[in-house]
Amino acid sequence: MRLSRGFLPTLKEVPAEAQIASHRLMLRAGLVRQTSAGIYAWLPAGLRVLRNIEQIVREEQNAIGAQELLMPTVQSSELWKRSGRYDAYGPEMLRIRDRQDRELLYGPTNEEMITDLFGQVIKSYRELPQALYHVQWKFRDELRPRFGVMRGREFFMKDAYSFDASYEDAVAAYRRMMLAYLRTFQRLGVRAVPMKADTGPIGGDLSHEFLVLAPTGESGVFFDAALEEQDWLHEAVDIADHASLETFFSGVTKFYAATDEMHDEKAWEDVPADRRREGRGIEVGHIFYFGTKYTESMGISVSGADGNQFFPEMGSYGIGVSRLVGAIIEASHDEAGIIWPDSVAPYRAAILSLKPGDEAVDALCEQLYAAAPDAFLYDDRGERAGVKFNDADLMGHPWQMIVGPRGAKEGKVELKRRATGERFELTVKEALAKVLGTDAAGKDAA
Ligand code: ATP
Ligand code: MG
């Protein structure tokens, strides 16, 4: 993208309404604009981040055999009356009437709809297990929408649902999902610690929230420092069979980690004092086993091996895709702006032309830009160098390719790594190799 023609409105002023860094930076970097309370338009750079996160989430869901579908945002109240949640859900649900005076709602979540769809299709234990997911907008009329996309009213969520024939199978599905979540967050470049969460009337211990540690998080957290090291994750990456899945799961869950809601002072005292970590966290995911709650209340059964009907065991698994945009920034920024992890950055690099109109500079910038026009943001504006440096730091591109008249004459680019501030004097070929990886450079050289 050429910045001179981009829809990328960066702001110098700090927006008064934004209380936390990620919200301020998302507005200043031109990622989103609020259109009404808790509802945001995603501008091109913000949308690219959202899509990158969504795609990583999708790949890791697919990798454990979950199948993607897409359910609508608008649902009928009938479904929710069947489960008994229509009245129970309360004022967070946006209720709508159509012209026939039928009651509709904008889905806050999809347990009812997926259970109904499942029941229409799956009739026998032989067709189990099933794991289905979608990535779709949700609406919850939050009492206090705040912190930008972090607690919006309309937000983008991946929600997956598992259906199994037995408790043991449901536990295995839950563990596979936990592994998929850890891989997902690792690829997103963010540390999210799984913490024991409330299971309510279901009981048991199969409910975990994933929290990104950040001082502005809404939950207080208590955890064993061992969980920060995440060696158990690296060991877990190649898990294929049931036994290693079990070992992985007991490895993760043996360490104390709880939000303030679930904090247990007694168990906390058993954690060696030098390993106790307290802080705050942002909930970016939640996995939850709830047995036959919906299949039973909605009357969805399948036939078993013995010929009798039974209610499949379910779990649901959410990731706050739009919240993650804020959470990643909250965990990865400095005074100058955002520091995007490579995997989610809207652009891999900015090309900063320090002298538009200079023949050598223009030629070199065009040469760089042509190597990957979709991955690069080419700052070709007639602005001062200082403005370009500030905007590039603010927008947080992993790399900056700085092209000035002196270097351009020698075919040299100054490469800056946003995260570390490291700088390199490189030829075009070397710079592209570093920024794009060797494959792309090979193509360029050919
Ligand atoms: P919270 O306690 O933050 O309200 P929740 O328990 O209501 O979250 P879930 O129903 O488990 O959330 O939804 C799954 C995920 O969706 C959450 O882990 C969170 O990342 C995200 N999410 C929930 N509510 C919002 C919201 N209002 N805005 C943005 N993301 C949200
Ligand atoms: Mg909530």
Side-chain angles (χ1 to χ4, degrees), residues 89 92 108-109 111 138 140 142 145-146 148-159 209-210 218-219 261 282-287 316-324:
Y89 208 90
E92 262 196 19
T109 179
E111 279 83 4
K138 305 288 187 289
R140 294 181 189 173
E142 298 276 355
R146 57 181 186 155
V149 300
M150 212 95 92
R151 184 167 296 285
R153 293 199 298 164
E154 189 183 47
F155 61 97
F156 203 41
M157 191 210 280
K158 184 283 297 182
D159 38 324
E209 290 176 353
F210 291 76
E218 291 185 288
S219 318
E261 277 177 356
I282 302 164
E283 183 194 325
V284 291
H286 188 183
I287 59 177
S316 77
Y317 313 90
I319 291 185
V321 176
S322 52
R323 178 178 287 182
L324 266 164

Side-chain angles (χ1 to χ4, degrees), residues 71-106:
M71 291 177 272
T73 53
V74 175
Q75 306 186 21
S76 157
S77 64
E78 293 310 316
L79 276 175
W80 290 69
K81 285 177 180 161
R82 271 167 66 195
S83 73
R85 277 212 293 182
Y86 190 58
D87 293 324
Y89 208 90
E92 262 196 19
M93 181 186 277
L94 180 65
R95 294 155 209 261
I96 314 166
R97 273 177 198 276
D98 69 11
R99 62 167 74 191
Q100 325 285 2
D101 213 27
R102 278 187 293 244
E103 291 171 321
L104 301 173
L105 57 101
Y106 196 117

Side-chain angles (χ1 to χ4, degrees), residues 33-215:
R33 282 289 163 91
Q34 181 171 296
T35 59
S36 52
I39 304 180
Y40 290 83
W42 291 78
L43 306 190
L47 183 61
R48 289 173 72 108
V49 178
L50 192 69
R51 292 284 181 246
N52 290 343
I53 296 173
E54 177 188 5
Q55 185 54 25
I56 289 172
V57 169
R58 172 175 293 123
E59 286 169 11
E60 294 302 330
Q61 292 293 292
N62 293 347
I64 56 160
Q67 301 169 75
E68 185 171 16
L69 44 68
L70 183 60
M71 291 177 272
T73 53
V74 175
Q75 306 186 21
S76 157
S77 64
E78 293 310 316
L79 276 175
W80 290 69
K81 285 177 180 161
R82 271 167 66 195
S83 73
R85 277 212 293 182
Y86 190 58
D87 293 324
Y89 208 90
E92 262 196 19
M93 181 186 277
L94 180 65
R95 294 155 209 261
I96 314 166
R97 273 177 198 276
D98 69 11
R99 62 167 74 191
Q100 325 285 2
D101 213 27
R102 278 187 293 244
E103 291 171 321
L104 301 173
L105 57 101
Y106 196 117
T109 179
N110 285 66
E111 279 83 4
E112 282 78 359
M113 190 178 280
I114 198 76
T115 305
D116 182 61
L117 285 168
F118 169 88
Q120 291 180 36
V121 176
I122 303 298
K123 303 294 178 190
S124 155
Y125 75 95
R126 285 194 206 87
E127 299 163 89
L128 296 177
Q130 290 283 332
L132 302 165
Y133 75 97
H134 71 162
V135 194
Q136 179 60 293
W137 294 93
K138 305 288 187 289
F139 194 96
R140 294 181 189 173
D141 201 352
E142 298 276 355
L143 190 57
R144 278 191 297 144
R146 57 181 186 155
F147 302 157
V149 300
M150 212 95 92
R151 184 167 296 285
R153 293 199 298 164
E154 189 183 47
F155 61 97
F156 203 41
M157 191 210 280
K158 184 283 297 182
D159 38 324
Y161 305 89
S162 61
F163 298 85
D164 285 278
S166 65
Y167 175 74
E168 290 67 33
D169 289 353
V171 171
Y174 183 92
R175 291 174 178 172
R176 277 195 299 275
M177 200 54 88
M178 175 176 268
L179 180 61
Y181 272 46
L182 291 169
R183 287 174 174 159
T184 301
F185 296 123
Q186 187 182 45
R187 283 185 62 190
L188 293 173
V190 77
R191 191 186 294 279
V193 181
M195 308 215 170
K196 205 189 271 246
D198 196 4
T199 53
I202 305 289
D205 55 4
L206 295 179
S207 175
H208 285 87
E209 290 176 353
F210 291 76
L211 288 106
V212 170
L213 304 176

